[in-house]
Every structure is written in C-alpha cells, then in structure tokens.
C-alpha cells in the first residue's frame, strides 16, 4: 500500500523541447522542491534549469504514488494547470490555491502572488509603514 503524500505539478515558464510541465510526488513537498531548485531532483528539472527556464508550482493534490502514475498516464497535464488558463471551478479549489501561494510563495509566479497575496501599502497599514 502506497503512503499518502503530495502530488505536485510544476509549470515551465517556456517549453523545453516538448515538455511544458513536470508532475511528481513527495512525502515532504518543501524539501523536494528545494532539491529540484538545487539540481538534485528529477533529471528533467536539472536540464530545464541548465537551459535557463524557470518553473513554478502550479497545483498540488493529496495522494499516493499510484495516483501520481495514474495522472501521468492520462497525459495532458496542461488540462490540470491553472497557469495554462484552467480556472478552478469550485470555491474550495480557489481557496486551496490561496493557501498554496501563502505556504510556497517562492515557487509561485509573481502574477499569481499579486492576485492572491495582499499588497501592503501605506494606506492599507494605517500609516504604520
């Protein structure tokens, strides 16, 4: 029996040959993303990094490695990617995206961070900046 973890979808800022996304599974997502950033993760991400392509955390699911394989076999990851224009239909999905941006802001594209995270201004802090 596979143990539960996090299935994650990474979106490349521009395609690398045919690849636009990477789907993976991790028991500790933050550590796995740090490995990918350092070039110690998946080979595809190391090659993408050396090509100067930035990637972003696009989506996460709770699930097992078996579920990750099932999603990979389905293909068409862009159909699951909010950064490719797929909009979460349910309010719960939009709330999950907000939580993900707050938890992993480093791995989110600036445009998504601006949409989700509040902008701090002098007026919004009551002049306390």
């Amino acid at each position: 029996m596979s143990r539960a973890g996090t299935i994650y979808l990474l979106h490349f800022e521009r395609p690398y040959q045919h690849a636009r996304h990477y789907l993976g599974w991790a028991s500790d997502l933050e550590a796995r993303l740090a490995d990918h950033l350092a070039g110690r993760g998946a080979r595809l991400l190391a090659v993408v990094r050396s090509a100067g392509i930035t990637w972003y955390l696009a989506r996460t699911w709770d699930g097992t490695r078996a579920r990750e394989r099932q999603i990979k076999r389905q293909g068409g990851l862009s159909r699951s990617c909010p950064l490719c224009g797929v909009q979460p239909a349910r309010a719960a999905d939009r709330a999950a995206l907000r939580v993900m941006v707050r938890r992993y802001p480093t791995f989110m594209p600036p445009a998504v961070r601006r949409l989700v995270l509040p902008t701090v201004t002098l007026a919004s802090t009551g002049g306390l900046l």
Side-chain angles (χ1 to χ4, degrees):
M1 181 90 184
S2 292
R3 67 179 198 195
T6 303
I7 301 166
Y8 59 95
L9 177 65
L10 302 180
H11 172 90
F12 303 155
E13 104 184 299
R14 68 179 195 275
Y16 176 78
Q17 295 181 8
H18 70 283
R20 293 176 178 259
H21 298 91
Y22 173 82
L23 186 76
W25 177 91
S27 59
D28 180 354
L29 181 58
E30 218 162 322
R32 185 65 175 157
L33 293 175
D35 285 345
H36 287 318
L37 276 178
R40 296 185 307 264
R43 177 71 180 139
L44 173 61
L45 293 177
V47 172
V48 164
R49 180 178 179 244
S50 68
I53 299 172
T54 303
W55 51 262
Y56 301 107
L57 179 63
R59 186 172 176 185
T60 62
W61 299 264
D62 292 330
T64 63
R65 286 180 183 253
R67 177 67 178 132
E68 174 209 6
R69 296 295 322 152
Q70 182 182 32
I71 294 169
K72 282 183 177 180
R73 281 192 306 269
Q74 286 175 335
L77 290 175
S78 62
R79 291 190 307 260
S80 300
C81 181
L83 302 180
C84 287
V86 175
Q87 297 298 317
R90 299 180 313 131
D93 292 336
R94 291 190 299 273
L97 178 62
R98 282 192 295 277
V99 169
M100 193 170 66
V101 170
R102 287 187 179 106
R103 185 162 183 195
Y104 306 107
T106 305
F107 303 108
M108 301 303 292
V112 173
R113 285 195 307 254
R114 280 193 300 276
L115 283 174
V116 174
L117 298 176
T119 303
V120 178
T121 64
L122 189 59
S124 69
T125 62
L128 297 177
L129 278 181

